[in-house]
């Protein structure tokens, strides 16, 4: 059973690092979400509390959109410092992409306020498309 012991030892020695990277990435996601809520002119969280399905779809897309590049970043990172630096870059790029998208499609955020799910799904699709490309750029 030496091979099994080696596997267990390897797992246990790697586990704290894995947990640290996981925790850091979750922290970055939380930070990105807070910044997003602060810089977004419309208040999706308030709209969600009021039962606005379009806002919920949109906000869900934002979370996934932030998580994708952070996940790619974590997978490609060698250490915690890497995760924080490139994670910050990924979040900034993603938030800029969100603002750009909202400006270019200025009618859509307004339509989300009035509960139009079709507008929310369109916006989410676009934001996730950008997010996937951001994820590839960060992991490269």
């Amino acid at each position: 059973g030496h091979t099994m012991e080696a596997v267990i030892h390897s797992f246990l020695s790697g586990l704290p690092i894995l947990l640290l990277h996981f925790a850091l990435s979750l922290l970055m996601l939380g930070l990105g979400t807070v910044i997003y809520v602060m810089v977004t002119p419309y208040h999706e969280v308030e709209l969600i509390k009021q039962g606005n399905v379009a806002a919920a779809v949109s906000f869900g897309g934002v979370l996934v959109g932030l998580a994708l590049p952070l996940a790619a970043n974590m997978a490609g990172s060698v250490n915690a410092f890497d995760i924080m630096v490139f994670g910050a870059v990924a979040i900034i790029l993603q938030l800029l992409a969100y603002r750009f998208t909202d400006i270019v499609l200025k009618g859509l955020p307004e339509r989300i306020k009035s509960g139009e799910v079709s507008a929310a799904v369109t916006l989410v699709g676009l934001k996730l498309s950008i997010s996937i490309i951001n994820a590839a750029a960060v992991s490269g």
Side-chain angles (χ1 to χ4, degrees):
H2 282 304
T3 51
M4 198 59 204
E5 280 173 36
V7 167
I8 290 169
H9 179 74
S10 163
F11 173 75
L12 290 177
S13 65
L15 189 63
I17 295 164
L18 181 140
L19 291 175
L20 172 70
H21 290 188
F22 180 69
L24 269 177
S25 294
L26 281 181
L27 190 71
M28 302 288 288
L29 176 62
L31 199 68
T33 305
V34 168
I35 296 167
Y36 170 82
V37 169
M38 284 165 57
V39 301
T40 307
Y42 47 101
H43 302 285
E44 282 163 322
V45 178
E46 283 307 307
L47 294 169
I48 293 165
K49 284 178 184 166
Q50 294 162 20
N52 185 324
V53 176
V57 168
S58 175
F59 195 64
V62 163
L63 293 174
V64 175
L66 282 169
L68 278 168
L70 287 172
N73 176 45
M74 183 173 77
S77 290
V78 281
N79 57 41
F81 181 73
D82 238 30
I83 287 179
M84 286 165 61
V85 171
F86 287 100
V89 170
I91 288 170
I92 291 163
L93 283 174
Q94 199 56 36
L95 292 176
L96 286 172
Y98 286 168
R99 292 299 302 128
F100 178 74
T101 309
D102 287 345
I103 290 164
V104 171
L105 304 171
K106 53 185 173 286
L108 288 183
E110 279 304 312
R111 287 165 59 187
I112 288 170
K113 274 188 212 168
S114 60
E116 277 187 56
V117 177
S118 60
V121 171
T122 305
L123 209 50
V124 164
L126 188 58
K127 287 178 177 179
L128 286 181
S129 301
I130 296 166
S131 172
I132 291 165
I133 293 165
N134 184 2
V138 168
S139 70

